[in-house]
Amino acid sequence: MTFRDLLIVGAGGFARETAASIRDFRALHGSSGWRLLGFLDDDPARADTVVDGVPVLGGSDAVHRWPNALVVVCTGSPTNWWSRARIVTRLGLPDDRWATLVHSTAVVPRTCDVGPGSVLMAQTVLTTAVSVGAHVHTMPHVVLTHDDTVGEFATLAAGVRLAGGVAVERGAYLGAGAMVREHCRVGAWSLVGMGSVVTRDVPPAEVWAGTPARRLRSAPVPAEMHGLHEGEMGDER
Ligand SMILES: CC(C)(COP(=O)(O)OP(=O)(O)OC[C@H]1O[C@@H](n2cnc3c(N)ncnc32)[C@H](O)[C@@H]1OP(=O)(O)O)[C@@H](O)C(=O)NCCC(=O)NCCS
């Protein structure tokens, strides 16, 4: 088995969960494993610390100090789910520097695609003809079924389940245990609350929750995110 050096940007909850599973991740196609060099985090309070036994080697710009290491950005929360897009855009690395981490218990048939920089945690299941974009995070026990599309920078928390033909647009955040009815669309940068059942389309940049899910409010997404259209991030790299 060959091993690739890896840097994780961020040292918060999802970054620590990713680091804890490092021995269980494999490359999407092939059998290579990962050797974790450390976290990179822009929070000065985390500089030179050790988090869960893993050193914080510097800020995110330190990716350029290890040009042969692959990188994955593991930031984002229900209060700032666009941070990953911001960091990826600012770093501007080519596609072949982004690691794609697929847990050994995840199911990804050959009929499915997963983009660079994405992380599929334990027991994520893609059934068939599922398209997962770049820099997407799926937490444990996410189930994506036939013909679903998940846009870049989307985050699917633990236990999210999508019926067939669902479109989750770029940057959307689906809270833990949320479910989405077949052929519904969750608009770009919108957030669906934990445990919600989405039965109709959610427009872009709104917060919805409940069963059935209803609009709570608009999402506090920075204007720069609205100006980014599909593919534009790729152009900036
Ligand atoms: C949807 C969410 C963002 C709303 O948070 P908020 O803006 O702080 O909203 P509040 O807690 O003030 O709640 C506003 C109203 O929505 C309701 N509400 C909030 N979240 C809800 C949910 N998931 N389902 C149903 N109703 C919900 C509240 O009960 C409240 O109702 P009320 O006005 O009748 O009292 C948040 O509750 C949530 O679900 N976050 C995702 C958490 C998650 O999945 N984390 C995973 C991390 S790994």
Side-chain angles (χ1 to χ4, degrees):
M1 167 123 85
T2 56
F3 286 87
R4 298 293 312 261
D5 288 343
L6 179 73
L7 295 162
I8 296 178
V9 176
F14 192 75
R16 292 169 50 220
E17 290 173 350
T18 303
S21 288
I22 201 70
R23 286 188 185 80
D24 297 320
F25 286 117
R26 54 180 164 77
L28 186 56
H29 301 300
S31 60
S32 61
W34 303 100
R35 180 169 39 232
L36 180 58
L37 300 180
F39 295 122
L40 303 179
D41 196 293
D42 294 322
D43 180 353
R46 287 184 173 139
D48 300 321
T49 61
V50 175
V51 177
D52 292 353
V54 178
V56 178
L57 301 171
S60 57
D61 287 334
V63 292
H64 304 295
R65 292 205 327 246
W66 286 273
N68 295 322
L70 299 198
V71 179
V72 68
V73 180
C74 291
T75 68
S77 73
T79 54
N80 179 357
W81 60 98
W82 48 90
S83 69
R84 194 157 68 247
R86 271 191 164 154
I87 293 170
V88 166
T89 305
R90 185 168 48 75
L91 292 177
L93 297 175
D95 273 356
D96 61 7
R97 284 278 323 263
W98 300 116
T100 304
L101 304 183
V102 178
H103 197 276
S104 56
T105 62
V107 177
V108 184
R110 291 269 170 186
T111 54
C112 301
D113 299 321
V114 181
S118 289
V119 182
L120 308 187
M121 296 292 277
Q123 315 231 330
T124 292
V125 175
L126 281 52
T127 62
T128 191
V130 175
S131 174
V132 173
H135 308 285
V136 168
H137 288 176
T138 69
M139 297 179 202
H141 289 273
V142 166
V143 179
L144 309 179
T145 63
H146 66 90
D147 306 304
D148 290 336
T149 59
V150 180
E152 58 184 349
F153 302 113
T155 304
L156 280 60
V160 163
R161 280 158 287 167
L162 306 184
V166 165
V168 175
E169 294 182 345
R170 69 199 309 266
Y173 188 108
L174 273 61
M179 289 192 270
V180 184
R181 182 180 185 165
E182 63 272 19
H183 304 301
C184 284
R185 180 171 294 272
V186 178
W189 307 108
S190 281
L191 183 149
V192 173
M194 56 190 171
S196 300
V197 176
V198 174
T199 57
R200 55 200 170 101
D201 288 355
V202 174
E206 293 190 353
V207 176
W208 282 44
T211 305
R214 309 249 182 242
R215 184 184 191 279
L216 287 187
R217 54 183 169 79
S218 59
V221 178
E224 70 198 70
M225 297 297 149
H226 296 295
L228 292 172
H229 302 294
E230 199 70 45
E232 194 167 339
M233 307 293 281
D235 297 342
E236 290 181 358
R237 277 181 207 133

